[in-house]
Amino acid sequence: MEIVVNDDQLSLAIGKKGQNVRLASRLTGWKIDIKSEAEVEKTSRKVIDDLMANLKVNEILARVLFDEYLRDGRDIARLTPEELAKVTSISLEDCRSITEHAKVWAEAAEKQAAEQAALEAQATEANEAEAEKAAPEEAPTEG
């Protein structure tokens, strides 16, 4: 569960060394994440800017999508233009354009994620090879 508090109340909500949030988690049985209003606004601003840039929509429509939890290309690309029109109340033609932009955005994100995973795999292999070279060789044992 995410809880948003006023910026000046954040330290009080968390408590000394996190004791308040830990106690609340224990009492409710929920994982609790406390965030300040400024932190939430910064995060939402980035998502809205991404929606505007990648879908070629205005801020009002980006906020509608954000409020409907349609926050990245994959979420929007899964919708039909008709489904998107029900959510946004805009023309079917505009919804077609948005879903097409969303598909391009989602494909680019998947490609970037695959490239990042490949780079991380290469780095892991290189680190393992380097560790093998650095490890002292075992002396043969006489039997």
Side-chain angles (χ1 to χ4, degrees), residues 38-54:
E39 187 179 355
V40 170
E41 179 56 34
K42 183 179 174 185
T43 302
S44 63
R45 179 80 253 163
K46 179 174 181 348
V47 172
I48 289 167
D49 288 346
D50 286 349
L51 288 168
M52 291 169 55
N54 290 297

Side-chain angles (χ1 to χ4, degrees), residues 16 19-20 23 41-42 48 74 78 83 98 108 111 113 125 129-130 140:
K16 189 174 184 178
Q19 68 185 11
N20 293 348
L23 177 60
E41 179 56 34
K42 183 179 174 185
I48 289 167
R74 291 178 298 246
R78 289 186 195 114
E83 291 169 329
I98 291 169
K111 182 179 178 183
E125 288 174 10
E130 196 63 36

Side-chain angles (χ1 to χ4, degrees), residues 23-83:
L23 177 60
S25 289
R26 217 175 296 150
L27 290 172
T28 61
W30 294 339
K31 180 187 180 304
I32 297 176
D33 188 17
I34 298 179
K35 296 187 176 189
S36 70
E37 288 176 334
E39 187 179 355
V40 170
E41 179 56 34
K42 183 179 174 185
T43 302
S44 63
R45 179 80 253 163
K46 179 174 181 348
V47 172
I48 289 167
D49 288 346
D50 286 349
L51 288 168
M52 291 169 55
N54 290 297
L55 301 178
K56 314 291 187 253
V57 298
N58 63 27
E59 185 170 352
I60 294 169
L61 185 52
R63 284 191 179 277
V64 168
L65 295 169
F66 180 86
D67 291 344
E68 293 293 330
Y69 298 95
L70 297 170
R71 297 179 179 178
D72 86 15
R74 291 178 298 246
D75 297 335
I76 298 163
R78 289 186 195 114
L79 298 175
T80 65
E82 293 79 13
E83 291 169 329

Side-chain angles (χ1 to χ4, degrees), residues 89-136:
S89 300
I90 61 174
S91 75
L92 200 55
E93 190 56 39
D94 287 341
C95 290
R96 280 190 189 96
S97 174
I98 291 169
T99 56
E100 287 305 313
H101 285 299
K103 288 175 185 172
V104 170
W105 183 19
E107 289 169 4
E110 287 176 19
K111 182 179 178 183
Q112 185 178 13
E115 289 171 354
Q116 183 64 34
L119 287 174
E120 289 172 4
Q122 287 176 346
T124 300
E125 288 174 10
N127 288 340
E128 289 172 355
E130 196 63 36
E132 282 182 22
K133 287 180 184 177

